[in-house]
Coordinates of all heavy atoms in Angstrom, one line a residue:
Chain D
A119 N 142.1 53.9 129.0 CA 142.6 52.5 129.0 C 142.0 51.7 127.9 O 142.5 50.6 127.6 CB 142.2 51.9 130.4
L120 N 140.9 52.2 127.3 CA 140.3 51.4 126.2 C 140.7 51.8 124.8 O 140.2 51.3 123.9 CB 138.7 51.5 126.4 CG 138.2 50.9 127.7 CD1 136.7 51.1 127.7 CD2 138.5 49.4 127.7
S121 N 141.6 52.8 124.8 CA 142.1 53.2 123.4 C 142.9 52.1 122.8 O 143.4 51.2 123.5 CB 142.9 54.5 123.6 OG 144.1 54.1 124.2
P122 N 142.9 52.1 121.4 CA 143.5 50.9 120.7 C 145.0 50.8 121.2 O 145.5 49.6 121.2 CB 143.5 51.4 119.3 CG 142.3 52.3 119.2 CD 142.2 53.0 120.5
A123 N 145.7 51.9 121.5 CA 147.1 51.7 121.8 C 147.3 51.0 123.2 O 148.2 50.3 123.4 CB 147.7 53.1 121.9
N124 N 146.3 51.2 124.1 CA 146.5 50.7 125.4 C 145.7 49.3 125.6 O 146.0 48.6 126.5 CB 145.9 51.6 126.5 CG 146.8 52.8 126.6 OD1 148.0 52.8 126.3 ND2 146.2 53.9 127.1
A125 N 144.7 49.0 124.7 CA 143.8 47.9 125.0 C 144.4 46.6 124.7 O 144.5 45.7 125.5 CB 142.5 48.2 124.3
Y126 N 144.8 46.3 123.4 CA 145.0 45.0 123.0 C 146.4 44.5 123.3 O 146.7 43.9 124.4 CB 144.7 44.9 121.5 CG 143.4 45.5 121.1 CD1 143.3 46.7 120.4 CD2 142.2 44.8 121.5 CE1 142.1 47.2 120.1 CE2 141.0 45.3 121.2 CZ 140.9 46.5 120.5 OH 139.7 47.0 120.2
I127 N 147.4 44.7 122.3 CA 148.7 44.0 122.5 C 149.5 44.7 123.6 O 150.3 44.1 124.3 CB 149.4 44.0 121.1 CG1 150.5 43.0 121.1 CG2 149.9 45.4 120.7 CD1 150.1 41.7 120.8
G128 N 149.3 46.1 123.7 CA 150.0 46.8 124.8 C 149.8 46.3 126.2 O 150.7 46.0 126.9
A129 N 148.5 46.1 126.5 CA 148.1 45.6 127.8 C 148.7 44.2 128.0 O 149.1 43.8 129.1 CB 146.6 45.6 127.9
E130 N 148.7 43.4 126.9 CA 149.2 42.0 126.9 C 150.7 42.0 127.3 O 151.1 41.2 128.1 CB 149.0 41.4 125.6 CG 148.7 39.9 125.6 CD 148.3 39.4 124.3 OE1 147.1 39.5 123.9 OE2 149.2 38.9 123.5
Y131 N 151.5 42.9 126.6 CA 152.9 43.0 126.9 C 153.1 43.4 128.4 O 154.0 42.7 129.1 CB 153.6 44.0 126.0 CG 153.7 43.6 124.6 CD1 153.8 44.5 123.6 CD2 153.9 42.2 124.3 CE1 154.0 44.1 122.3 CE2 154.0 41.8 123.0 CZ 154.1 42.8 122.0 OH 154.2 42.4 120.7
I132 N 152.4 44.4 128.8 CA 152.6 44.9 130.2 C 152.3 43.7 131.2 O 153.0 43.5 132.2 CB 151.7 46.1 130.5 CG1 152.2 47.3 129.7 CG2 151.7 46.4 131.9 CD1 151.3 48.4 129.7
E133 N 151.3 43.0 130.9 CA 150.9 41.9 131.8 C 151.8 40.7 131.7 O 152.1 40.1 132.7 CB 149.4 41.5 131.4 CG 148.8 40.5 132.4 CD 148.9 39.1 131.9 OE1 148.9 38.9 130.6 OE2 148.9 38.2 132.7
A134 N 152.3 40.4 130.5 CA 153.1 39.2 130.3 C 154.6 39.4 130.7 O 155.3 38.5 131.0 CB 153.1 38.8 128.9
T135 N 155.1 40.7 130.7 CA 156.5 40.9 131.0 C 156.9 40.4 132.4 O 157.9 39.8 132.6 CB 156.8 42.4 131.0 OG1 156.6 42.9 129.6 CG2 158.2 42.7 131.3
K136 N 155.9 40.5 133.4 CA 156.2 40.2 134.7 C 156.4 38.7 134.9 O 157.3 38.2 135.6 CB 155.1 40.6 135.6 CG 155.3 41.9 136.3 CD 154.2 42.3 137.2 CE 153.3 43.3 136.6 NZ 152.0 43.5 137.3
R137 N 155.7 37.8 134.1 CA 155.8 36.4 134.3 C 156.7 35.7 133.2 O 157.1 34.6 133.4 CB 154.4 35.8 134.4 CG 153.7 35.5 133.1 CD 152.3 35.0 133.4 NE 151.4 35.8 132.5 CZ 151.3 35.5 131.2 NH1 151.9 34.6 130.6 NH2 150.4 36.3 130.5
E138 N 156.9 36.4 132.1 CA 157.7 35.8 131.0 C 159.2 36.3 131.0 O 160.1 35.5 130.6 CB 157.1 36.1 129.7 CG 155.9 35.2 129.4 CD 155.3 35.5 128.0 OE1 155.8 36.4 127.4 OE2 154.3 34.9 127.7
I139 N 159.4 37.5 131.3 CA 160.8 38.0 131.2 C 161.4 38.4 132.5 O 162.6 38.5 132.6 CB 160.8 39.2 130.2 CG1 160.2 38.7 128.9 CG2 162.2 39.8 129.9 CD1 160.4 39.6 127.7
F140 N 160.6 38.7 133.5 CA 161.2 39.0 134.9 C 162.1 40.2 134.9 O 163.1 40.2 135.6 CB 161.9 37.8 135.4 CG 161.0 36.7 135.8 CD1 160.7 35.7 134.9 CD2 160.5 36.6 137.1 CE1 159.9 34.6 135.2 CE2 159.7 35.5 137.4 CZ 159.4 34.5 136.4
I141 N 161.8 41.3 134.1 CA 162.5 42.5 134.3 C 161.5 43.6 134.6 O 160.4 43.6 134.0 CB 163.5 42.8 133.2 CG1 162.8 43.1 131.9 CG2 164.5 41.8 133.0 CD1 163.6 43.6 130.8
P142 N 161.9 44.6 135.4 CA 160.9 45.6 135.8 C 160.6 46.6 134.6 O 159.5 47.1 134.6 CB 161.6 46.4 136.9 CG 162.8 45.6 137.3 CD 163.1 44.7 136.2
N143 N 161.6 46.9 133.7 CA 161.3 47.9 132.7 C 160.6 47.3 131.5 O 161.2 46.5 130.7 CB 162.7 48.5 132.3 CG 162.4 49.7 131.4 OD1 161.3 50.1 131.1 ND2 163.5 50.4 131.0
V144 N 159.3 47.5 131.4 CA 158.6 46.9 130.3 C 159.1 47.4 128.9 O 159.1 46.7 127.9 CB 157.1 47.3 130.4 CG1 156.2 46.7 129.4 CG2 156.6 46.9 131.8
V145 N 159.6 48.7 128.9 CA 160.0 49.2 127.6 C 161.2 48.4 127.0 O 161.2 48.0 125.9 CB 160.4 50.7 127.8 CG1 160.9 51.3 126.5 CG2 159.3 51.5 128.3
T146 N 162.1 48.1 127.9 CA 163.3 47.3 127.5 C 162.8 45.9 127.0 O 163.3 45.4 126.0 CB 164.3 47.1 128.6 OG1 164.7 48.4 129.0 CG2 165.5 46.3 128.2
A147 N 161.9 45.3 127.8 CA 161.4 44.0 127.4 C 160.7 44.0 126.0 O 161.0 43.2 125.2 CB 160.3 43.5 128.4
V148 N 159.9 45.1 125.8 CA 159.2 45.1 124.5 C 160.2 45.4 123.4 O 160.2 44.7 122.3 CB 158.1 46.3 124.5 CG1 157.6 46.5 123.1 CG2 157.0 45.9 125.5
L149 N 161.2 46.3 123.6 CA 162.1 46.6 122.5 C 163.0 45.5 122.2 O 163.2 45.2 121.0 CB 163.0 47.8 123.0 CG 162.5 49.2 122.8 CD1 163.5 50.2 123.3 CD2 162.2 49.4 121.3
A150 N 163.6 44.8 123.2 CA 164.7 43.9 123.0 C 164.1 42.5 122.8 O 164.8 41.7 122.1 CB 165.7 43.9 124.1
S151 N 163.0 42.1 123.4 CA 162.5 40.8 123.3 C 161.3 40.6 122.4 O 161.3 39.9 121.4 CB 162.2 40.2 124.7 OG 162.0 38.9 124.6
Y152 N 160.2 41.3 122.8 CA 158.9 41.1 122.1 C 159.0 41.6 120.7 O 158.5 41.1 119.7 CB 157.8 41.7 122.8 CG 157.4 41.0 124.1 CD1 157.4 41.7 125.3 CD2 156.9 39.7 124.0 CE1 157.1 41.0 126.4 CE2 156.6 39.1 125.2 CZ 156.6 39.7 126.4 OH 156.3 39.1 127.5
R153 N 159.7 42.8 120.5 CA 159.8 43.4 119.2 C 161.3 43.4 118.8 O 161.8 44.4 118.3 CB 159.4 44.9 119.3 CG 157.9 45.0 119.5 CD 157.2 44.8 118.2 NE 155.7 44.9 118.3 CZ 154.9 44.1 117.7 NH1 155.3 43.1 116.9 NH2 153.6 44.3 117.8
G154 N 161.9 42.2 119.0 CA 163.4 42.1 118.7 C 163.6 42.3 117.2 O 164.6 42.9 116.8
Y155 N 162.7 41.9 116.3 CA 162.9 42.1 114.9 C 163.0 43.6 114.6 O 163.9 44.0 113.8 CB 161.7 41.5 114.1 CG 161.7 40.1 113.8 CD1 160.7 39.2 114.2 CD2 162.8 39.5 113.1 CE1 160.8 37.9 113.9 CE2 162.9 38.2 112.8 CZ 161.8 37.4 113.2 OH 161.9 36.0 112.9
D156 N 162.0 44.3 115.1 CA 162.0 45.8 114.8 C 163.3 46.5 115.3 O 163.8 47.3 114.6 CB 160.8 46.4 115.5 CG 159.5 45.9 115.0 OD1 159.5 45.1 114.1 OD2 158.4 46.2 115.6
T157 N 163.8 46.1 116.5 CA 165.0 46.7 117.0 C 166.2 46.3 116.1 O 167.1 47.1 115.9 CB 165.2 46.3 118.4 OG1 164.0 46.5 119.1 CG2 166.2 47.2 119.1
F158 N 166.2 45.1 115.6 CA 167.2 44.7 114.7 C 167.2 45.5 113.5 O 168.2 46.0 113.0 CB 167.0 43.2 114.3 CG 168.1 42.6 113.5 CD1 169.5 42.9 113.9 CD2 167.9 41.8 112.5 CE1 170.5 42.3 113.1 CE2 168.9 41.2 111.7 CZ 170.2 41.5 112.1
G159 N 166.0 45.8 113.0 CA 165.9 46.7 111.8 C 166.4 48.1 112.1 O 167.1 48.6 111.3
E160 N 166.1 48.6 113.3 CA 166.5 49.9 113.7 C 168.1 50.0 113.7 O 168.7 50.9 113.3 CB 166.0 50.3 115.0 CG 164.6 50.8 114.9 CD 163.9 50.9 116.3 OE1 164.6 51.1 117.3 OE2 162.7 50.7 116.4
T161 N 168.6 48.9 114.3 CA 170.1 48.9 114.4 C 170.7 48.8 113.0 O 171.7 49.5 112.8 CB 170.5 47.6 115.2 OG1 169.7 47.5 116.4 CG2 172.0 47.7 115.6
V162 N 170.1 48.1 112.1 CA 170.7 48.0 110.8 C 170.5 49.4 110.1 O 171.4 49.8 109.4 CB 170.0 46.9 110.0 CG1 170.4 46.9 108.5 CG2 170.3 45.6 110.5
V163 N 169.4 50.1 110.4 CA 169.2 51.4 109.8 C 170.4 52.4 110.3 O 171.0 53.1 109.5 CB 167.9 52.0 110.2 CG1 167.8 53.5 109.9 CG2 166.8 51.3 109.4
I164 N 170.7 52.3 111.6 CA 171.7 53.2 112.1 C 173.1 52.8 111.5 O 173.9 53.6 111.1 CB 171.8 53.1 113.6 CG1 170.6 53.7 114.2 CG2 173.0 53.8 114.2 CD1 170.4 53.3 115.6
F165 N 173.3 51.5 111.3 CA 174.5 51.0 110.7 C 174.6 51.5 109.3 O 175.7 52.0 108.8 CB 174.5 49.4 110.7 CG 175.6 48.8 110.0 CD1 176.9 48.9 110.5 CD2 175.4 48.1 108.8 CE1 178.0 48.3 109.8 CE2 176.4 47.5 108.1 CZ 177.7 47.6 108.6
M166 N 173.5 51.4 108.5 CA 173.5 51.9 107.2 C 173.7 53.4 107.1 O 174.4 53.9 106.2 CB 172.1 51.6 106.5 CG 171.8 50.1 106.3 SD 173.0 49.3 105.4 CE 172.2 49.4 103.8

Side-chain angles (χ1 to χ4, degrees):
Chain D
L120 296 177
S121 68
N124 289 337
Y126 308 110
I127 197 86
E130 211 170 280
Y131 286 152
I132 291 170
E133 187 263 332
T135 298
K136 264 183 256 167
R137 79 187 133 76
E138 282 181 357
I139 302 196
F140 290 90
I141 63 171
N143 190 357
V144 182
V145 179
T146 303
V148 171
L149 274 182
S151 187
Y152 290 118
R153 290 282 180 219
Y155 276 125
D156 297 352
T157 312
F158 187 43
E160 280 165 28
T161 313
V162 173
V163 164
I164 293 165
F165 175 70
M166 295 301 264

